[in-house]
Amino acid sequence: MSIRFKQLHLTKFVINVPHSARQVTVRKAWETAEITKKWTESSWAKKLASRERRATLTDYDRFKLMKAKQARNRLINTQFGKLRKVAKKKPLKPKRKPNKITSAKRK
């Protein structure tokens, strides 16, 4: 199978195979190096899988996702509000005054 160079992407996964190796040899090297397992664990593959999953979402699934995000953000905002309220009640530490450098000390 021929693939254009513009379609190829280099990854960190490497297999040592001889020049012009047959498909069986390449497949054996691929399986012994567990390239498929390493690929599925990579962040690149996870990103592609999530993109594919989002593309297949139905309208109702998108609605449920929106409602779940709203509920999560509501929880976060209420906790943040509580923390801000507690922080407001605490008096702030007084700021340190910068040391004044006199002209005698500069020289």
Side-chain angles (χ1 to χ4, degrees), residues 61-72 74:
D61 290 335
R62 281 191 289 276
F63 173 76
K64 289 191 298 186
L65 180 65
M66 179 189 72
K67 286 297 184 183
K69 284 183 177 181
Q70 285 177 352
R72 182 197 62 199
R74 196 172 296 117

Side-chain angles (χ1 to χ4, degrees), residues 1-9:
M1 180 167 84
S2 61
I3 298 175
R4 287 182 278 160
F5 275 116
K6 288 187 177 184
Q7 292 177 327
L8 291 178
H9 295 281

Side-chain angles (χ1 to χ4, degrees), residues 16-22 25-26:
N16 291 325
V17 289
H19 180 67
S20 69
R22 293 180 181 258
T25 310
V26 174

